[in-house]
Amino acid sequence: MQFELTREYIQNLASLVEAKDTEQILTIFNSLHPADIADILEELSHDEARYIFFRLNPTLASKTLAELEDDKIERFIQVIPTNILASELIEKMDSDDAVDVLQNIPKHIASEILTNFTDKEYQHEIANLLDYNENSAGGLMATELIRVNINWDVRTCLNEIRRLSKEVENIMLAYVVDDKNILQGTLPITQLIINHEKVKIQDIYQKDVIAVHTQTPSEEVALIMEKYDLFVMPVVDGINRLKGRITLDDVLDVVREEADKDYQLISGITQDIESSDNIFRQSKARLPWLFIGLIGGIFGSRIIGSFEGLIQEYSGLALFLPLLAAMGGNVGVQSSAIIVQSIANGTIGLESISQKIFKEFLGGLLNGLVCSSILFLYNVLFGRDFALTISVSAALFSIVLFASVFGTFVPLFLHKIKIDPALATGPFITTINDITGGLIYFTTARIIFGYL
Amino acid sequence: MQFELTREYIQNLASLVEAKDTEQILTIFNSLHPADIADILEELSHDEARYIFFRLNPTLASKTLAELEDDKIERFIQVIPTNILASELIEKMDSDDAVDVLQNIPKHIASEILTNFTDKEYQHEIANLLDYNENSAGGLMATELIRVNINWDVRTCLNEIRRLSKEVENIMLAYVVDDKNILQGTLPITQLIINHEKVKIQDIYQKDVIAVHTQTPSEEVALIMEKYDLFVMPVVDGINRLKGRITLDDVLDVVREEADKDYQLISGITQDIESSDNIFRQSKARLPWLFIGLIGGIFGSRIIGSFEGLIQEYSGLALFLPLLAAMGGNVGVQSSAIIVQSIANGTIGLESISQKIFKEFLGGLLNGLVCSSILFLYNVLFGRDFALTISVSAALFSIVLFASVFGTFVPLFLHKIKIDPALATGPFITTINDITGGLIYFTTARIIFGYL
């Protein structure tokens, strides 16, 4: 039932383009969903994609443009005259899609397109929307909605829907406002069907409405719509005037992007990349964390270097160096991940920072005890030198404890000073733990070898 | 505008419960959203939560039960007689919520509740739904929907909506079927408002409808609804009979859970835990990967042990051991994360496995060259022994290359044999790279120190 993109399909299209068989190409594309067309264009070469794009009818081309990945839009924008872009493509989009496209192209081109809009009212609307922060409710909302006055009756509302039904997609409810556009409540469309034409809106509308401010951050918008299972939510300004509405599909994108970002941060990737991106783009996103790891490792080597005498005397100490570093890294990443994830999902709970750290300290005691006991048993069974056995187990215990507390503290601290706590996961925590791990290990060993 | 939960709020409630001030408690709770009530109950002690829950009116209690976290439902279920649970609470839920609750409690209790349903038709419906896999479209769908016959006119459809409007929430469209319940298309509610009462459905319905099979996996359902921006999607059986509908809020949960799972896997956590979970639950989720890391580290120590003579002779080699292990781990996790994420988002593209691995090999060459050059420069500048300098840089280069290719291959391979590729991220990749890193390093060093 769904469209499936295969390599054969792409090869077939490429040869149709080469043969310039426009008729055949249009037959194929006119029956496809714009989201599928966008997928196809992204797999074709620049020239092939452009050949097809320019032959689509304007409505389909406009919808396809709105579906393209942010970083793929520019290759079409650049080669189309701005007046055509404005009147034929961008102006036909829903306001939130139009804003999305304009935000993802160079500012001077966006301005030029905007100046070329033929519908001046829509032009002002889009210009206003572009003023909102991209990551706020204002940046997410669309202005297309059904607005009804609280003094109207059902009949007037139905007429309003008839008037706007072509402009507004996915109509589930109407927004009830007073004469000053102050949001009063909502009215599910089904209420208009159930009730008689003469019934007054004020007698049937729902007063309790969950709305957000234009400046509410996107992630908070997502958490609210998710929590209350809303498909659509109104956006208001400081004096509760209705500004727009956010639909759940946009929030789904926010959740996906946020999750992707956190996942990439924990895996040491600094920019949003995909496996299909080219090598240089990938390296650019990967090298910064590798570089930090390298610096951390060099620091670590200097710390270990200051214990070189100890290593020369007891070379067995070197054997457990990677194990201890890895365990510290693993524990630290686990701890920070739990906190980062709970903050992102709004499930952080009401415990204070010190309560959380104390809890993690207890958890670290437990995990440290289990892990160091296993390592102790292993070393005893395999007849390692007793001082080494004691040193390694004691160091592991201390490292697990330190990494637990440190991994919990850093993201909580970052969150408190309003820096994205996800920055504290992955390579950062691993690197710090590598360095402190070495220090803890050899200090412990020096003490123990000194005494025994 | 939104409800905000604070520690003071919880303390205040707890003292109201202690004073058994039921009237005050009900005044508070009757004005709250069920999702907020669920949040509050989760922060209270068992006894306090139960005291409040049992005093809520059945409708509110039923909605609250549907909003509780999966693992918190049992503490209420256990102490309520099953006949009351059935007729007063579960039976009042939407079919997808009822199924969700029944799936998250012990099987024998669920059966007992189901037997006690008073509405026998609903009982059969729920029993049927429970037969679907929890992670499939059948397990996600609700059966409450507006079904209209293709031979009806607008007037009959409007009557059908009037009849069902209390039962079905969030009505955006009606599903058009033939006499045999075979799905024919959809009809947006606005069409019923725009068109005259006598207009035939067959003249105004939308034929192109994207539907999924009852057995389509949840993640695929999510990708489809996301791609085509659907708020609601029909579910059909093998012969295209309409079985139910999936709404976007349920898909949002799937996306969130999937993202959480991947995030926890990469950070070395085996079960869904939150920062508010107790220490033992957290340790249980954390120890398995730590244990694997420990075993890997012990293996690694044995490999390094076989080079102990080399270390005794050139103790400087030990200094760079953690650096090399960490870099291998970082690079491997980056590579696997890119693949895992692209698979999860459906952005994996059409390149074959060998193309992807070759590309990653080239990327590894680039990253390896950059990183090992930096390390080389550092060691030259700080006047390290030349053989050591060469050994460390050559090893780093080889390790980055190996980790890139290995980190790409493993998740692609797991995906191919239909195992969740996210398993291959985080501690698993790190551990393997730790072991091979040591081997590569000392082998390189032995060769170079042998020659120089």
Side-chain angles (χ1 to χ4, degrees):
Chain A
M1 193 154 293
Q2 271 69 52
F3 171 76
E4 206 191 328
L5 196 58
T6 61
R7 246 172 291 168
E8 292 70 41
Y9 193 97
I10 292 294
Q11 276 157 11
N12 178 34
L13 268 177
S15 51
L16 284 177
V17 173
E18 211 189 344
K20 296 198 192 296
D21 189 346
T22 310
E23 202 184 331
Q24 180 70 18
I25 289 174
L26 285 182
T27 314
I28 293 174
F29 279 83
N30 284 332
S31 68
L32 287 175
H33 190 284
D36 290 319
I37 299 180
D39 275 2
I40 293 171
L41 295 185
E42 282 164 15
E43 288 290 336
L44 290 168
S45 75
H46 279 223
D47 289 338
E48 289 161 354
R50 280 196 202 128
Y51 181 89
I52 293 175
F53 185 76
F54 287 132
R55 274 146 193 89
L56 299 176
N57 71 61
T59 313
L60 197 54
S62 164
K63 286 188 179 162
T64 301
L65 196 62
E67 295 281 351
L68 282 172
E69 301 258 339
D70 291 346
D71 55 321
K72 308 267 160 65
I73 290 175
E74 249 187 282
R75 74 177 189 188
F76 294 103
I77 294 285
Q78 283 167 343
V79 288
I80 311 175
T82 36
N83 58 332
I84 294 186
L85 262 172
S87 62
E88 298 278 305
L89 297 173
I90 316 277
E91 232 181 296
K92 294 196 169 159
M93 294 179 186
D94 281 344
S95 57
D96 54 343
D97 289 333
V99 166
D100 226 36
V101 170
L102 293 175
Q103 261 163 351
N104 281 294
I105 55 176
K107 273 222 169 80
H108 66 281
I109 305 182
S111 289
E112 220 180 294
I113 294 173
L114 204 51
T115 329
N116 275 289
F117 268 38
T118 48
D119 180 344
K120 293 300 162 189
E121 203 186 316
Y122 195 55
Q123 184 187 47
H124 289 146
E125 212 171 289
I126 298 294
N128 285 339
L129 284 177
L130 280 169
D131 275 349
Y132 293 112
N133 181 329
E134 209 179 334
N135 301 313
S136 70
L140 274 181
M141 73 186 181
T143 51
E144 292 85 2
L145 49 78
I146 307 285
R147 187 189 310 260
V148 299
N149 192 297
I150 192 163
N151 301 314
W152 290 358
D153 58 12
V154 167
R155 187 198 186 93
T156 322
C157 288
L158 286 172
N159 283 335
E160 179 70 0
I161 291 179
R162 286 185 191 111
R163 190 175 74 83
L164 291 173
S165 68
K166 281 225 171 118
E167 243 174 72
V168 187
E169 285 184 340
N170 302 311
I171 302 176
M172 282 161 268
L173 38 81
Y175 294 98
V176 181
V177 296
D178 65 11
D179 294 337
K180 287 177 176 153
N181 190 28
I182 308 284
L183 181 66
Q184 303 293 318
T186 57
L187 186 68
I189 299 301
T190 41
Q191 285 297 316
L192 296 172
I193 293 175
I194 298 167
N195 286 288
H196 189 272
E197 295 211 323
K198 298 244 168 93
V199 171
K200 290 281 183 192
I201 297 307
Q202 51 188 306
D203 297 327
I204 54 169
Y205 82 101
Q206 294 181 350
K207 285 190 187 100
D208 287 328
V209 53
I210 296 167
V212 283
H213 191 271
T214 48
Q215 281 171 20
T216 306
S218 306
E219 301 95 67
E220 211 179 309
V221 169
L223 286 177
I224 292 169
M225 291 188 76
E226 210 174 334
K227 178 173 176 185
Y228 298 111
D229 287 339
L230 304 174
F231 285 85
V232 58
M233 181 166 64
V235 182
V236 295
D237 69 5
I239 54 169
N240 220 23
R241 283 180 304 194
L242 179 63
K243 288 299 192 179
R245 63 163 191 169
I246 296 175
T247 46
L248 193 58
D249 54 339
D250 297 319
V251 158
L252 186 60
D253 294 342
V254 170
V255 169
R256 182 73 92 176
E257 276 165 28
E258 196 61 24
D260 281 2
K261 206 191 68 192
D262 287 355
Y263 190 83
Q264 300 206 325
L265 277 178
I266 205 175
S267 48
I269 299 168
T270 55
Q271 281 168 39
D272 183 26
I273 51 168
E274 284 164 16
S275 69
S276 52
D277 286 331
N278 69 46
I279 298 170
F280 297 102
R281 210 177 124 78
Q282 288 201 12
S283 279
K284 217 180 108 196
R286 295 173 62 162
L287 280 172
W289 271 128
L290 291 182
F291 189 64
I292 288 173
L294 201 55
I295 302 286
I298 287 173
F299 260 103
S301 76
R302 296 190 79 92
I303 288 177
I304 303 170
S306 66
F307 295 94
E308 209 176 327
L310 194 67
I311 299 171
Q312 264 164 351
E313 207 170 337
Y314 311 102
S315 63
L317 280 172
L319 274 52
F320 291 93
L321 210 41
L323 181 149
L324 293 171
M327 290 299 284
N330 286 347
V331 168
V333 170
Q334 284 181 337
S335 300
S336 61
I338 293 170
I339 298 293
V340 168
Q341 197 69 354
S342 291
I343 291 172
N345 292 352
T347 53
I348 185 87
L350 295 176
E351 295 165 323
S352 67
I353 292 190
S354 53
Q355 278 172 315
K356 282 200 186 301
I357 289 178
F358 181 66
K359 189 168 140 187
E360 193 62 24
F361 175 79
L362 294 181
L365 278 180
L366 179 63
N367 294 339
L369 207 63
V370 172
C371 292
S372 57
S373 304
I374 294 173
L375 191 58
F376 183 81
L377 278 178
Y378 165 80
N379 276 330
V380 168
L381 284 175
F382 283 79
R384 282 266 162 211
D385 174 62
F386 192 64
L388 180 67
T389 300
I390 295 280
S391 300
V392 172
S393 287
L396 180 60
F397 181 76
S398 316
I399 286 169
V400 169
L401 206 55
F402 171 79
S404 300
V405 171
F406 188 73
T408 304
F409 173 75
V410 176
L412 284 172
F413 175 74
L414 290 179
H415 181 58
K416 190 152 183 108
I417 61 169
K418 302 202 187 298
I419 294 177
D420 184 351
L423 272 174
T425 48
F428 178 74
I429 287 280
T430 310
T431 303
I432 300 284
N433 280 326
D434 272 5
I435 299 174
T436 45
L439 194 60
I440 292 174
Y441 180 35
F442 288 110
T443 310
T444 314
R446 182 170 281 165
I447 295 168
I448 289 172
F449 277 85
Y451 274 98
L452 293 177
Chain B
M1 193 155 292
Q2 271 68 52
F3 171 77
E4 205 192 327
L5 196 57
T6 61
R7 245 173 291 170
E8 293 69 42
Y9 192 97
I10 292 294
Q11 277 157 9
N12 178 32
L13 267 179
S15 51
L16 284 178
V17 172
E18 211 189 346
K20 296 198 190 297
D21 191 345
T22 310
E23 201 183 332
Q24 181 71 15
I25 290 173
L26 286 182
T27 312
I28 295 172
F29 279 83
N30 284 332
S31 68
L32 288 175
H33 190 285
D36 290 320
I37 299 180
D39 276 1
I40 294 172
L41 295 185
E42 282 164 14
E43 288 289 339
L44 290 169
S45 75
H46 278 222
D47 289 339
E48 289 161 354
R50 278 195 202 131
Y51 181 89
I52 293 174
F53 185 76
F54 287 132
R55 272 147 195 89
L56 299 176
N57 72 61
T59 314
L60 196 55
S62 165
K63 285 189 178 160
T64 302
L65 196 61
E67 295 280 352
L68 283 171
E69 301 259 338
D70 291 347
D71 56 321
K72 305 269 161 65
I73 290 174
E74 248 188 283
R75 74 178 189 188
F76 295 103
I77 294 284
Q78 282 168 343
V79 288
I80 312 175
T82 37
N83 58 332
I84 295 186
L85 262 172
S87 60
E88 299 278 305
L89 298 173
I90 317 278
E91 233 181 295
K92 294 196 169 158
M93 294 179 186
D94 282 344
S95 57
D96 54 343
D97 289 334
V99 165
D100 225 35
V101 170
L102 293 176
Q103 261 162 351
N104 280 294
I105 56 176
K107 273 221 170 84
H108 66 279
I109 305 182
S111 290
E112 219 180 295
I113 294 172
L114 204 52
T115 328
N116 274 289
F117 267 39
T118 47
D119 181 342
K120 292 301 160 187
E121 201 185 316
Y122 195 54
Q123 184 187 47
H124 290 147
E125 213 169 290
I126 298 295
N128 286 340
L129 284 177
L130 281 169
D131 276 348
Y132 293 111
N133 181 330
E134 208 179 334
N135 301 313
S136 70
L140 274 181
M141 73 185 182
T143 50
E144 292 85 2
L145 49 77
I146 308 284
R147 187 190 310 261
V148 298
N149 192 296
I150 192 161
N151 301 314
W152 291 358
D153 59 12
V154 166
R155 187 200 185 92
T156 322
C157 287
L158 286 172
N159 284 334
E160 179 70 1
I161 290 179
R162 284 181 192 116
R163 191 174 74 83
L164 290 173
S165 68
K166 282 223 171 119
E167 243 172 72
V168 187
E169 286 183 340
N170 302 311
I171 303 177
M172 283 160 264
L173 41 80
Y175 294 99
V176 181
V177 296
D178 66 9
D179 294 337
K180 287 175 176 156
N181 191 28
I182 307 284
L183 182 67
Q184 303 294 319
T186 57
L187 186 68
I189 299 301
T190 41
Q191 284 297 318
L192 296 172
I193 293 175
I194 299 166
N195 286 288
H196 189 273
E197 294 211 325
K198 297 246 168 92
V199 171
K200 289 280 182 195
I201 297 308
Q202 51 188 307
D203 297 327
I204 54 170
Y205 82 102
Q206 295 180 349
K207 282 189 188 103
D208 287 329
V209 53
I210 296 168
V212 284
H213 191 271
T214 49
Q215 280 170 20
T216 307
S218 306
E219 300 94 66
E220 212 180 307
V221 170
L223 287 177
I224 293 168
M225 292 188 74
E226 212 174 332
K227 178 173 175 185
Y228 298 110
D229 288 339
L230 304 175
F231 285 86
V232 59
M233 182 167 63
V235 182
V236 295
D237 69 6
I239 55 171
N240 222 22
R241 282 180 304 193
L242 180 62
K243 288 299 194 177
R245 63 162 191 169
I246 295 175
T247 46
L248 193 57
D249 55 338
D250 297 319
V251 159
L252 185 60
D253 294 341
V254 171
V255 170
R256 182 73 91 175
E257 276 165 28
E258 197 60 24
D260 281 3
K261 206 191 67 192
D262 286 356
Y263 190 82
Q264 300 207 324
L265 277 178
I266 204 175
S267 48
I269 299 169
T270 55
Q271 282 168 38
D272 182 28
I273 51 169
E274 285 164 15
S275 69
S276 52
D277 285 332
N278 70 47
I279 297 169
F280 296 103
R281 209 176 124 77
Q282 288 201 13
S283 279
K284 216 179 107 196
R286 295 172 62 163
L287 280 172
W289 270 129
L290 292 182
F291 189 65
I292 289 172
L294 201 56
I295 301 286
I298 287 173
F299 260 103
S301 76
R302 296 190 79 91
I303 288 176
I304 303 169
S306 66
F307 295 93
E308 210 176 328
L310 195 67
I311 299 171
Q312 264 164 353
E313 207 170 336
Y314 311 102
S315 64
L317 279 173
L319 274 53
F320 291 94
L321 210 41
L323 181 149
L324 293 171
M327 291 299 285
N330 286 348
V331 169
V333 169
Q334 285 180 337
S335 299
S336 61
I338 293 169
I339 298 292
V340 168
Q341 197 70 356
S342 291
I343 291 172
N345 292 352
T347 53
I348 185 87
L350 294 177
E351 294 164 323
S352 66
I353 292 189
S354 54
Q355 279 173 313
K356 283 201 185 297
I357 289 178
F358 181 67
K359 189 168 142 187
E360 192 62 24
F361 175 81
L362 294 180
L365 278 180
L366 179 63
N367 294 339
L369 208 63
V370 173
C371 292
S372 56
S373 305
I374 294 173
L375 191 59
F376 182 82
L377 278 178
Y378 164 80
N379 276 328
V380 167
L381 284 175
F382 284 79
R384 283 265 162 212
D385 174 65
F386 191 64
L388 181 68
T389 300
I390 295 280
S391 301
V392 171
S393 286
L396 180 60
F397 181 75
S398 316
I399 286 169
V400 169
L401 206 54
F402 171 80
S404 301
V405 171
F406 187 73
T408 304
F409 172 74
V410 175
L412 284 172
F413 175 74
L414 289 180
H415 181 59
K416 191 153 182 105
I417 60 170
K418 300 198 187 303
I419 293 178
D420 185 350
L423 271 174
T425 48
F428 178 74
I429 288 280
T430 311
T431 303
I432 301 285
N433 281 325
D434 272 6
I435 299 175
T436 46
L439 193 61
I440 292 174
Y441 180 34
F442 288 110
T443 309
T444 313
R446 183 171 279 166
I447 295 168
I448 289 172
F449 276 85
Y451 274 99
L452 292 177

